Amino acid sequence: MLHFLAIILIILYHLTGQVLGMDYLYVAQIAFFLIPGVVYIITHRHSGPPKAEDPSLSFPSLKLIFKILLQMLAVSFIAMSLVTLTDYFFPIPEWILNMMPQDASFSNVRDVAFYALMPAVCEEFFFRGFYLNALLKKQSASFAVATATIVFGVAHLNPWFLPGLLVLGFYISRLYAKEQNLWLCILCHFFNNFVALWLLGFQQ
């Protein structure tokens, strides 16, 4: 049931972009990713003492944030290197490149909000706050992390970015399984998106 529901929501997200246009993907992210994640977390939190599977929304310590960001430098480098390597052997089609933001800039607050922050928040509430969280309640941590990593990568429907997405998804899923802190996951995802946005602007 969990996998079926996750697949349906992912399909609805992509159908929204195909039918209504890419401009509506932000609405779809909120409707099919953010809201289900928030609803799941609220309805499945235990009363009384928190359990290991419960997601923490408390702000992490600055020391932990600094440590995670240092690790994310390596993770983002590996992920983007894999994408570059894949593109070298199997060039990304023009129609895929046209779907990417053409004039986005990391110095533009609106671009950072729409291309880096919003996907990080919505996707993390869905893939970690909802999907991985539900898996951890029923399966071993190793199985849950592996499954969530694959679903996260495949859900983007982009085989050229898949190697990098799997690296990012594995790191964030493993981080969530260990720390149970959703803000850390959002921070990592945002950091990766921001670096990608910066590199995109640099290439342009």
Side-chain angles (χ1 to χ4, degrees), residues 54-98:
D54 287 338
S56 171
L57 293 176
S58 60
F59 198 76
S61 67
L62 293 178
K63 180 180 179 180
L64 181 57
I65 290 175
F66 182 73
K67 174 185 174 182
I68 296 303
L69 287 180
L70 285 179
Q71 294 176 359
M72 273 303 300
L73 285 173
V75 171
S76 294
F77 175 79
I78 294 171
M80 293 176 192
S81 296
L82 287 174
V83 172
T84 302
L85 189 63
T86 303
D87 180 41
Y88 179 80
F89 289 104
F90 307 99
I92 301 174
E94 196 67 29
W95 64 273
I96 291 287
L97 294 175
N98 291 335

Side-chain angles (χ1 to χ4, degrees), residues 14-184:
H14 286 290
L15 280 178
T16 301
Q18 292 295 321
V19 176
L20 300 180
M22 301 301 290
D23 292 338
Y24 286 87
L25 278 181
Y26 307 114
V27 177
Q29 283 182 339
I30 295 173
F32 303 123
F33 286 171
L34 179 61
I35 292 177
V38 171
V39 170
Y40 180 86
I41 289 173
I42 292 175
T43 57
H44 286 75
R45 286 188 70 84
H46 298 278
S47 57
K51 296 189 177 181
E53 299 89 355
D54 287 338
S56 171
L57 293 176
S58 60
F59 198 76
S61 67
L62 293 178
K63 180 180 179 180
L64 181 57
I65 290 175
F66 182 73
K67 174 185 174 182
I68 296 303
L69 287 180
L70 285 179
Q71 294 176 359
M72 273 303 300
L73 285 173
V75 171
S76 294
F77 175 79
I78 294 171
M80 293 176 192
S81 296
L82 287 174
V83 172
T84 302
L85 189 63
T86 303
D87 180 41
Y88 179 80
F89 289 104
F90 307 99
I92 301 174
E94 196 67 29
W95 64 273
I96 291 287
L97 294 175
N98 291 335
M99 294 174 62
M100 299 172 64
Q102 301 300 315
D103 301 317
S105 171
F106 72 97
S107 60
N108 186 304
V109 175
R110 178 185 176 278
D111 289 343
V112 171
F114 278 100
Y115 297 122
L117 181 59
M118 183 176 288
V121 173
C122 295
E123 291 182 18
E124 288 311 313
F125 265 91
F126 179 76
F127 288 105
R128 255 60 67 172
F130 162 55
Y131 188 66
L132 177 57
N133 186 27
L135 284 174
L136 287 170
K137 293 178 184 296
K138 300 178 180 180
Q139 307 289 344
S140 67
S142 298
F143 180 86
V145 168
T147 304
T149 297
I150 294 171
V151 171
F152 173 75
V154 174
H156 286 78
L157 300 183
N158 190 327
W160 293 273
F161 288 2
L162 182 59
L165 288 167
L166 291 176
V167 170
L168 177 66
F170 175 75
Y171 176 81
I172 298 180
S173 294
R174 189 169 176 272
L175 175 67
Y176 180 81
K178 179 182 178 182
E179 300 291 344
Q180 247 82 46
N181 192 296
L182 205 54
W183 296 128
L184 279 177

